[in-house]
Amino acid sequence: MRVVLTLVFALFIHPVFAQTKWYDPLNAGEPVIQNQGWTKEIGKTFTRLPARAEEKVRKPVWELSQNTAGLSIHFYTNAPEITICYGVTGSPAMNHMPATGVSGIDLYAIDENGGWHRASGSYRFADTVSYVYKKLFTGTFHKKGFEYRLFLPLYNGVKWMQIGIPENSYFEFIPLLKEKPVIVYGTSIAQGGCASRPAMGWTNILSRKLDYPVMNLAFSGNGPFEKAAVDLVNELDAKAYVFDCLPNMGALSDDEVYNRVIYGVTTIRKNHKGPILLTDHIGYYNDGTDTTTGNIWKRLNTVQQKACNDLKKQGIKDLYYLTREAIHFPADGTVDYVHPNDLGMQAYADAYEKILREILNMPAGTTITTLPVSQRREANGYEWKQRHEQELQMNREQPPVNMIIGNSIVHYWAGAPKAHIARGEKSWNRYLKNFRNMGFGWDRIENVLWRIYHGELDGFNAQNIVLMIGTNNIGGNTDEDIVKGIDFLLKQIRQRQPQAMIKLVGILPRRNTEKRIASINTQLRQLATAGGYLFSDPGKQLLLASGKIDETLFTDGLHPNEAGYSKLAEAIAPGP
């Protein structure tokens, strides 16, 4: 009956219904609901805690866990129009929070160059909620379109959902991400009250800023750092643990607040190595007329800060603190006296991004070449993120000793993981057969940075790392930005693999840019010398006496052929 009602409603709002294909995320064949935590136990439902938790947590916590705050669905499509229909479990709006935030959804596209774009559409709240997105983004470099991320309601449950696209369009759900999430346990402020729409909850903003999964285990009015919730969080391994609980602890004594903080941190640290971040109470913004509120948050912050200092004295490692001052919360950042509006949510997200980038060693620079982004530019051949997952799996199963990181020049050379093109197998097998091929077609400096931040150098100790990157930045970046980006990237490689011998290979010459590349390579040589890296400039062997490339050594003026690769391999292999 549910499906019939859905389709009837869809027919009403969608005149080309007969030509629409519908996809159900609960019947995708494999789990596709992101940031859920206990996916195997929760099963085919849009909830945040497993069924057994109902007996462990208080009733309000259990009821709030049925809200879909922080959950999302990722998919690929090239559809020019997307219709999303779903049913919710409660009232669509609150007195101080609009229906778009309580019960709405948000859809974002990630383009082929890693840029984020919010999709805007029409919506209707009724027994069936519907969002219709028309005239969507068109791609240039990938026939299968963009990656989309669908953020679910912050303060309502979802009973069912259908995603519809035109019959002739491509659609593919993205399976559950394997990366460890940042886990947030806290109050209404973290759950999302009172954002205007789901994507503006600070945990969702943070997930976009870091491009990392962020799990929302915040419960409005019911996040007081209690044992039952901490024990559930302790079941999950996280990239980092964030506890923002003080706004719900005002009724507790100083001793109780102190003891709960101690228990929460020590419990997590017994089982997990991930960094732990404690957050100050942001304060109440009616202190001017109600002095008692000021006393509450100041007392709570003092107690938690004391607990944090005592834990560090006891030897607890990787414990961090986000102060009220560091959040830089704006005076106009609330809808009442404490719940953030979108302006306040942005302040929270900015503060969390800054401290988590420091904690997780994921800095972002000021130039485009130092800002990590994904890409999806190949119209044919391979899927960028699928290759990334393949690299991670190989690293787990067969940790590499030697690796060469680069773009399509490396990708289509030879070696494992095997590509659909291999232009230089003879030279690879002679000089580089023991190397892991970590080249990705179309990669720029900032794409390699994303890959490193997402685990491609984690969990093993390499002996030799060769970096060949930068040619795809030639068309869109200045020489200065290219050199800065490679310098920044080398530092991130060394931070993760301090024992490895790192060799920087100069950018290979390409048709009609030989002189500019030679100038850049002069700067890269100086950079490598100053940084203690090895440097090689084998591209000179691909030039004629005139300084122009020898076209007989290339397939297209950029990619070497077998003869070209044979002139490069020996200089790229380990050693000065």
Side-chain angles (χ1 to χ4, degrees):
M1 177 62 71
R2 185 196 76 190
V3 174
V4 172
L5 290 175
T6 304
L7 299 185
V8 169
F9 183 77
L11 177 61
F12 174 72
I13 65 169
H14 201 301
V16 294
F17 166 71
Q19 300 174 0
T20 300
K21 293 185 295 185
W22 295 91
Y23 296 87
D24 183 347
L26 296 184
N27 291 293
E30 56 186 325
V32 299
I33 301 175
Q34 308 290 342
N35 309 322
Q36 206 167 29
W38 296 266
T39 299
K40 292 182 179 179
E41 287 187 74
I42 291 176
K44 296 182 177 182
T45 61
F46 297 94
T47 57
R48 294 187 289 159
L49 291 180
R52 59 183 169 82
E54 186 173 8
E55 298 180 357
K56 299 181 179 182
V57 300
R58 293 179 293 107
K59 183 178 180 181
V61 175
W62 174 250
E63 292 175 345
L64 287 162
S65 76
Q66 307 307 295
N67 297 164
T68 55
L71 301 186
S72 63
I73 299 167
H74 303 179
F75 55 87
Y76 296 122
T77 187
N78 57 5
E81 180 175 331
I82 299 174
T83 300
I84 302 174
C85 299
Y86 58 100
V88 295
T89 59
S91 300
M94 298 180 184
N95 291 335
H96 64 327
M97 187 172 176
T100 50
V102 174
S103 307
I105 57 175
D106 259 323
L107 186 65
Y108 280 71
I110 304 177
D111 67 26
E112 297 140 324
N113 292 313
W116 289 74
H117 306 273
R118 180 193 169 205
S120 59
S122 60
Y123 51 86
R124 172 180 172 178
F125 291 95
D127 290 341
T128 292
V129 183
S130 68
Y131 276 69
V132 180
Y133 303 92
K134 296 183 177 181
K135 297 181 180 179
L136 291 171
F137 318 101
T138 57
T140 302
F141 301 107
H142 208 300
K143 294 180 180 179
K144 294 183 178 180
F146 291 174
E147 175 183 341
Y148 283 85
R149 298 195 181 177
L150 176 65
F151 296 92
L152 301 189
L154 296 172
Y155 270 86
N156 222 326
V158 172
K159 295 184 288 187
W160 58 270
M161 177 172 283
Q162 298 280 331
I163 302 173
I165 62 169
E167 185 75 32
N168 60 352
S169 296
Y170 168 81
F171 183 95
E172 178 186 356
F173 281 116
I174 296 175
L176 185 67
L177 299 179
K178 296 179 181 179
E179 289 180 304
K180 295 179 183 180
V182 174
I183 296 179
V184 178
Y185 168 51
T187 70
S188 57
I189 294 171
Q191 180 168 341
C194 293
S196 65
R197 48 189 179 84
M200 293 309 297
W202 73 253
T203 63
N204 286 334
I205 299 175
L206 181 65
S207 74
R208 297 196 301 281
K209 282 176 165 287
L210 297 178
D211 201 3
Y212 245 89
V214 177
M215 185 181 301
N216 189 318
L217 291 177
F219 308 103
S220 185
N222 288 276
F225 227 145
E226 53 193 347
K227 181 180 184 299
V230 169
D231 289 347
L232 285 167
V233 172
N234 193 35
E235 296 177 3
L236 304 173
D237 198 15
K239 187 78 172 177
Y241 299 87
V242 176
F243 294 107
D244 190 352
C245 300
L246 293 184
N248 286 165
M249 301 176 75
L252 303 178
S253 68
D254 289 2
D255 286 345
E256 183 65 17
V257 172
Y258 180 90
N259 290 334
R260 290 193 183 195
V261 175
I262 297 292
Y263 178 80
V265 172
T266 55
T267 297
I268 297 298
R269 185 51 74 236
K270 286 178 182 178
N271 294 323
H272 305 286
K273 296 181 180 180
I276 299 170
L277 175 61
L278 301 173
T279 303
D280 259 348
H281 194 313
I282 192 60
Y284 296 108
Y285 283 77
N286 59 347
D287 285 358
T289 56
D290 185 353
T291 57
T292 59
T293 59
N295 294 332
I296 291 172
W297 66 260
K298 292 174 184 176
R299 174 179 68 87
L300 293 172
N301 287 352
T302 298
V303 174
Q304 182 171 255
Q305 289 171 12
K306 180 179 186 305
C308 181
N309 291 333
D310 289 348
L311 286 163
K312 289 181 178 179
K313 292 177 182 178
Q314 295 170 19
I316 296 294
K317 303 295 184 182
D318 294 319
L319 176 60
Y320 301 88
Y321 204 95
L322 180 60
T323 66
R324 179 176 185 266
E325 291 74 22
I327 297 174
H328 300 295
F329 199 83
D332 289 331
T334 67
V335 298
D336 44 27
Y337 58 95
V338 68
H339 294 98
N341 55 25
D342 290 357
L343 186 63
M345 289 291 183
Q346 190 69 58
Y348 265 106
D350 289 345
Y352 275 112
E353 180 194 15
K354 181 178 180 180
I355 193 168
L356 284 171
R357 284 198 178 279
E358 295 173 358
I359 291 171
L360 299 176
N361 296 312
M362 294 167 48
T366 57
T367 63
I368 190 171
T369 54
T370 59
L371 298 173
V373 292
S374 60
Q375 61 107 332
R376 191 170 185 251
R377 293 173 58 93
E378 289 284 303
N380 297 292
Y382 85 108
E383 280 286 0
W384 192 79
K385 287 189 175 179
Q386 288 180 7
R387 182 169 173 84
H388 170 67
E389 290 296 329
Q390 189 179 15
E391 295 278 7
L392 295 179
Q393 183 175 348
M394 289 189 69
N395 289 351
R396 289 190 295 267
E397 297 174 353
Q398 300 174 342
V401 176
N402 307 303
M403 65 187 65
I404 179 168
I405 302 171
N407 47 48
S408 57
I409 294 171
V410 174
H411 187 179
Y412 301 141
W413 194 335
K418 188 176 182 180
H420 64 289
I421 297 173
R423 297 190 174 108
E425 287 185 296
K426 290 181 181 179
S427 56
W428 181 280
N429 292 336
R430 181 177 180 184
Y431 293 102
L432 299 167
K433 64 181 180 180
N434 294 321
F435 269 68
R436 177 70 45 78
N437 186 319
M438 299 181 75
F440 286 52
W442 274 108
D443 255 15
R444 304 181 302 279
I445 297 165
E446 55 269 32
N447 303 137
V448 176
L449 187 63
W450 187 99
R451 289 160 47 197
I452 289 174
Y453 284 0
H454 288 257
E456 288 191 13
L457 294 183
D458 296 345
F460 60 90
N461 293 318
Q463 291 182 8
N464 295 286
I465 299 176
V466 175
L467 178 65
M468 289 180 61
I469 199 67
T471 193
N472 290 324
N473 293 89
I474 294 292
N477 302 110
T478 65
D479 295 5
E480 181 182 8
D481 284 351
I482 291 171
V483 174
K484 283 184 177 180
I486 290 176
D487 183 29
F488 192 90
L489 178 58
L490 284 167
K491 290 175 180 176
Q492 305 315 311
I493 293 173
R494 174 169 281 170
Q495 196 279 329
R496 287 158 177 78
Q497 295 284 338
Q499 74 298 322
M501 181 181 293
I502 302 172
K503 176 184 282 189
L504 173 63
V505 176
I507 299 173
L508 298 186
R510 55 191 293 172
R511 184 186 296 146
N512 298 326
T513 55
E514 295 92 340
K515 187 175 180 179
R516 180 185 174 194
I517 288 175
S519 175
I520 294 173
N521 284 343
T522 297
Q523 298 177 64
L524 292 179
R525 182 183 294 276
Q526 295 170 350
L527 165 65
T529 300
Y533 311 103
L534 298 177
F535 182 80
S536 180
D537 190 8
K540 291 180 179 179
Q541 300 181 57
L542 306 180
L543 297 174
L544 299 170
S546 64
K548 294 293 186 178
I549 64 168
D550 183 346
E551 295 281 356
T552 66
L553 301 176
F554 291 83
T555 62
D556 55 6
L558 169 63
H559 297 90
N561 55 24
E562 181 67 70
Y565 278 121
S566 68
K567 289 181 173 292
L568 301 174
E570 186 174 4
I572 288 174

